[in-house]
Amino acid sequence: MKTQARAAGTSTKRTLFSRITRYARVTFPVLFLAFVAGEQAHAAPQLVANAARIIGDEARTRVVLDFNAEPEFEVHYLDSPARIVVDLPAVSFAFPTNDLKATGLFSDIRFGSMGEGSARLVLTAKKPVQVAIAKVQPEEGGKIFRFVLDTEITSKQKFADLLKNQDWQALVPATTASVTPDIIQTSPRQSDFVIAVDAGHGGIDAGAKGGVSGTDEKVITLSFAKQLTDRLNRLPGIKAFLTRDDDTFLALSERVTIARQHSANLFISVHADTLSQKGIRGATVYTISDRASDRMAQNLAERENLSDQIAGVTVSNAQPEVADILLDLTRRETQAFSVTLAENIVSSFEGQVGLINNPHRYAGFQVLRAHDVPSVLLELGFLSNPDDEKLLLDESWRDKVAERLAEAVTKYRAQALANGG
């Protein structure tokens, strides 16, 4: 009876509120809009993770996050390697990264945005793992909502059963038909020479980290990508756009798809990696090849290709077969154009921007696999080298590099137009 009475009272209140708001909308539109905005802001506070900690050993490990409001969450599993994935709504992670440094059962822990409205925590395990407890409990009278994740080792068979029986489809790279980014509002004119500028990493995938400043690679690549795009758009006949314009994760195949959807004539992916040899510095330009030019290129490609795994993306390792001789010829022609662009960049940088020895290298980068879009991956420098790191953080130096790239693109475009491209 009490439940029915409460329901009836709630219904009456809703009807009355509906009438009042309908009257207010018509009579006092400005005040009504201000009221609605205030109510929405009050009803939907931003979710913030203010603190984090991890403790345990290689048999059992606990992860704790403190939120300002109760978060909804889903927990899933991925394999190759074994991973626990926690999907969350949009979250501001306001604690130091080192507070959730991998330990115990886990060899790597990543967290960050997965796009508008969602975030993800990915824990890569050293061995088969299972979740023993996953819960949110209020603390301090509801001022803190504590998310607790207890994990423990399990058998290979049990982990396989967890994978098989979970009611969840892992995030997969978008198909050509499903990626419609808001970054570009209008399609470029047919006469435009279109350039996709791809800021490496983003969101949950922070990339490398500066040895001195601690700056994430994803921050540097986005800053430079914006500068480069602005510079290219000042060139006549050129339309440059960003594959991502904020701290958002994009799967490697999504980056390629976005470029192709906008009929890009060029694809330039920007990175700033680290090396174990801190003395190595300078820019490098990479093009795609099934065989790497050297061990360093091979290692770098392998690390960059892990971007999807870091974010918990399911990726097929199978390469698309060449359907016919025309497609094979297109790939060969595209690869030749990519090499031409790389050579132009190296030529433009010489004497102006520091280069590594043998600055044009090649390896099997997944992000360069568009069969019909000439593509290069530009390593601006190495965050593992203090001198390079200082330059990468210097806006005026980045402007200089953008100017040199604009010169290389201008030369490439002239060559392409002369060849009827």
Side-chain angles (χ1 to χ4, degrees), residues 74-346:
E74 290 185 357
V75 178
H76 309 291
Y77 299 93
L78 288 173
D79 60 352
S80 301
R83 283 161 289 166
I84 295 172
V85 175
V86 181
D87 280 330
L88 297 157
V91 178
S92 174
F93 294 99
F95 54 83
T97 303
N98 283 340
D99 286 359
L100 210 55
K101 188 175 181 180
T103 190
L105 260 172
F106 302 109
S107 60
D108 187 61
I109 297 178
R110 304 289 178 113
F111 52 89
S113 167
M114 288 298 289
E116 185 177 354
S118 64
R120 177 168 283 186
L121 169 67
V122 180
L123 304 104
T124 302
K126 300 174 183 177
K127 56 191 72 175
V129 64
Q130 67 178 9
V131 174
I133 297 173
K135 64 180 181 179
V136 174
Q137 56 192 41
E139 301 284 348
E140 299 182 14
K143 293 180 181 179
I144 295 174
F145 290 84
R146 183 156 294 157
F147 171 71
V148 179
L149 186 76
D150 278 352
T151 64
E152 59 190 16
I153 58 172
T154 189
S155 67
K156 291 182 180 180
Q157 183 58 53
K158 180 64 181 296
F159 183 73
D161 291 342
L162 291 170
L163 286 168
K164 181 180 178 180
N165 297 327
Q166 62 184 342
D167 183 20
W168 177 66
Q169 181 63 44
L171 176 70
V172 297
T175 63
T176 301
S178 65
V179 181
T180 53
D182 295 329
I183 296 173
I184 302 301
Q185 302 298 327
T186 58
S187 297
R189 299 186 304 273
Q190 279 303 114
S191 59
D192 283 333
F193 192 81
V194 184
I195 303 172
V197 180
D198 176 56
H201 306 280
I204 192 172
D205 176 21
K209 187 178 290 291
V212 177
S213 67
T215 305
D216 289 332
E217 181 182 2
K218 66 177 182 179
V219 175
I220 292 171
T221 60
L222 183 58
S223 296
F224 178 77
K226 289 180 176 179
Q227 289 173 260
L228 176 59
T229 301
D230 289 342
R231 180 63 188 89
L232 291 172
N233 281 329
R234 295 201 297 268
L235 297 173
I238 285 180
K239 174 63 177 177
F241 69 93
L242 295 162
T243 57
R244 70 174 180 95
D245 64 354
D246 57 16
D247 186 20
T248 298
F249 172 80
L250 288 177
L252 297 174
S253 65
E254 284 183 293
R255 299 168 187 270
V256 177
T257 299
I258 290 170
R260 298 189 68 219
Q261 282 184 331
H262 292 87
S263 303
N265 300 100
L266 288 180
F267 178 88
I268 301 174
S269 189
V270 181
H271 293 259
D273 216 281
T274 59
L275 294 173
S276 56
Q277 307 97 317
K278 295 185 178 182
I280 298 178
R281 60 175 305 199
T284 320
V285 188
Y286 292 92
T287 52
I288 194 167
S289 174
D290 291 334
R291 296 182 63 182
S293 57
D294 53 82
R295 174 58 63 180
M296 189 180 87
Q298 177 69 26
N299 292 341
L300 181 63
E302 289 174 355
R303 288 200 304 273
E304 294 296 349
N305 292 344
L306 286 175
S307 176
D308 288 348
Q309 282 193 18
I310 286 169
V313 176
T314 298
V315 183
S316 170
N317 292 322
Q319 295 299 328
E321 294 182 3
V322 176
D324 53 46
I325 189 65
L326 292 179
L327 183 57
D328 187 33
L329 290 173
T330 300
R331 293 182 192 278
R332 292 174 184 269
E333 184 179 43
T334 298
Q335 189 169 358
F337 287 147
S338 300
V339 169
T340 298
L341 174 60
E343 291 173 346
N344 284 346
I345 293 174
V346 170

